[in-house]
Amino acid sequence: MKRIYCLFISVHLLGAASAQLPKLGKSPVKEIVAAMTLEEKAKLLTGNGFKMPGMKPPGGPVVGTTQDKVPGAAGTTFAIPRLGIPSIVVADGPAGVRIDPVRNGDSSKTFYATAWPIGTLLASSWDTALVRNVGVAFGSEVHEYGVDILLAPALNIHRNPQGGRNFEYYSEDPVVAGNITAAMVNGIESNGVGTSIKHFAANNQETNRNTVNTILSERALREIYLKGFQIAVKKSQPWTVMSSYNLINGTYTSQEYDLLTTILRKEWGFKGFVMTDWFGGKDPVAQMKAGNDLLMPGTTQQSQAIISAVQHDSLDVKVLDENVERMLNVILESPAFKGYKFSDKPDLAKDAALSRTAAAEGMILLQNKSNALPLGSKGTVVALFGNNGYDLIAGGTGSGDVNKAYTVSLAQGLTSAGFKLDAALQNTYTNYLKEEKIKHPKKGFFEEFMHPTPPIAELVAEEKMVTQKASSASIAIISIGRNAGEGSDRKLPGDYYLNDTEMVMIKTVANAFHAQHKKVVVVLNTGGVVDVTRWRDAVDGILMAWQPGLEGGNAIADVLSGKVNPSGKLATTFPAAYDDVPSAKSFPGKEFPERAVTGMLGMRQVPAEVTYEDGIYVGYRYYNTFKVKPAYEFGFGLSYTNFAYSNLTLSSPVLNGSITAKLTITNTGKVAGKEVVQLYISAPAVKLAKPAEELKAFAKTALLQPGKSQTVEFVITAADLASFDTNSTSWVAEAGRYIVKAAASSEDVKQQATFELAKDIVTEKCNKVLVPQVEINELKK
Ligand code: BGC
């Protein structure tokens, strides 16, 4: 009320000077809208432009004066001072606030942000309470740096391991993605700042990202690609949603009324506003009509097109009024409107400590033959191989990158944890990396985006040198790194697959160390899945460290040393072979080069389409149903201890409203640890085909001391059981017998119980929308 009052006052005060302003009453937002000119509305609905050193923005010169509010932020909206409407600032991204760390060349005061662990790592913690805490700290940086809305979290589905932005995203499963997103949004927004959950929707590749038409069935769309967004909207009501670049079944998402209004607002009850992805979509008028309220970063051409459409009666100004109203409702909540005096001094030291804790919680112990890990006592001599061991990758590239003050390498982390690194080896790598970096200096953001600097070639591990290390050191750690990001997808050779030098390094090190009865551990510092099949048998331990943020080296050392018992589990499958991936054949679709045009920022745009022939069989839904054995299945992760599952009970043998499943988890090993418990359901599949198992809920225990137990509880309702029935356009829970599976992974079911559903229940009736225009040859059971 106070805020509305402020607006009321400011409008009144300013109104004194402006004859056309009405006297405000009960609905100030509506009245402000009524007081706005058409030009003001069009300005508010198109951002304040794009600033990139040395680049002219498309769409004419940038008008407006709010661009420099927070240098390096992704965009701002127009201020309308006469109405008391401030400009708001939006900044990336999913792993930390991305703003310029130094302003006007003056490094005496810096604006670095915490690089949090990447989204996939956070999801691999399966710990919504932890993610919420990260959100709270993350949001305080957003707030203290003068940003109103964070352009995150990002929750597109990991459809294919080559997805260039998978690191920003959470999981192959919408229940994980949706719940982790909700926790993150609730945490960030508890600071009084906003989020923009993105990219809505079915944006699962970077190849031709601005032109690709994603063709998919209504069921796959609803169950896999929209479900996470639906959960996030229901559980966290984010301030904004960002529409994606791609088309869905023939229409740009930002121009699709049925996506942004029928589904998002009418079916799910979303209350905030929708913004485009940067330069997303083609037709500003269609975007307005669709309910894509804000066009970012905004061009004068767009606002002129909107004005002209109203003047020529092809756009009803009432549509704009609704768009404006939704934006104003959010602006009224913003720190900018409240006049928050941000400090530019977030508590980076405190946040770094949390980043380290969170990073360790999401790392996954994939292999641990004869207890290679944890490492021995302090003072153990470690031979650390691999460029990456001395040059950690904290996070991915593009808008998901963060300008951080430092990155702790694995070498530094191990040293701080009290291990002794082989000094000569360390020198060799450090000098090599230094020289290579001088030869290939990193370019600016935009040039890197267009032509990324290739990674430094892996230093060849000569056999003679390795043999020598095998006698002097106690253990070998090999660190392998991969980076990727916005603008392109990953490649198979040398990226998904290890390259020849890496393969030889693993073989040489393993032979030499095993000959001395010493262990070899591989650390994977990658943003996504890599092949393990070709080399895992050669080594003893494998730790999936993901891209763990600025404290990464310390966090990896925490896990390797046993200070933290690993408790992360895979939120995305490691296939045994790339060809096993259900989307391997259809990713990334086909191109129509004969229709290429010059698009945004002068880039060549090639029309393209991708057909999701894998349908609902994404990730473990495919591997389990079609009995294809992955290298490491969804939900998998080892611990330094063991857990027993017992006493699974259901509150009732029949579902009547809801059923509570309870079970006991006991730490039966020798060290304290946490267990991620997953609840899968196998459903009757009489009318609708069903995946063999589907994750319905998950929980992480507290840190259980040896011998201690904890009871975990899950509540299941009919809505959790329902699948999308295309014929009736509704979510239906089919009558029959359901098997509840309490599991340590999607393959490792520990306990099961059954219940009955007496008759079919329609849990939600939906609108017949976003129907594919062509026949899809969808995978069937
Ligand atoms: C990305 C978005 C990002 C935006 C603003 C786009 O290129 O796809 O995720 O938020 O830029 O930087």
Side-chain angles (χ1 to χ4, degrees), residues 727-762:
N727 288 332
S728 63
T729 319
S730 52
W731 289 86
V732 183
E734 223 177 275
R737 184 162 168 267
Y738 286 80
I739 311 173
V740 176
K741 299 177 172 177
S745 81
S746 56
E747 279 182 8
D748 190 5
V749 176
K750 301 285 193 188
Q751 294 240 291
Q752 59 183 55
T754 60
F755 67 87
E756 299 280 334
L757 184 63
K759 51 179 198 304
D760 288 3
I761 302 182
V762 173

Side-chain angles (χ1 to χ4, degrees), residues 74 92 98 151 165 168 198-199 209 242 245 277-278 399 449 486 600:
D92 287 304
R98 195 170 70 83
L151 304 173
R165 295 183 84 170
E168 297 183 55
K198 66 189 188 184
H199 309 87
R209 67 173 183 165
M242 187 190 291
Y245 282 132
D277 198 346
W278 268 229
S399 61
F449 179 80
E486 201 181 341
M600 149 186 139

Side-chain angles (χ1 to χ4, degrees), residues 365 368 371 373-375 558-559 561-567 638-644 665-675 701-709:
L365 184 61
N368 199 16
N371 297 328
L373 291 170
L375 294 173
D558 288 341
V559 174
S561 67
K563 184 176 165 198
V564 173
N565 187 351
S567 61
L638 300 170
S639 163
Y640 297 148
T641 187
N642 298 304
F643 296 96
I665 307 295
T666 307
N667 182 348
T668 56
K670 294 201 175 65
V671 291
K674 299 177 185 175
E675 171 72 337
T701 66
L703 185 72
L704 295 176
Q705 296 300 324
K708 294 287 178 225
S709 301

Side-chain angles (χ1 to χ4, degrees), residues 283-306:
D283 178 349
V285 176
Q287 289 171 316
M288 290 297 120
K289 290 181 182 169
N292 194 121
D293 311 297
L294 174 62
L295 310 184
M296 287 304 281
T299 66
T300 44
Q301 279 171 348
Q302 289 170 321
S303 49
Q304 275 154 13
I306 292 169

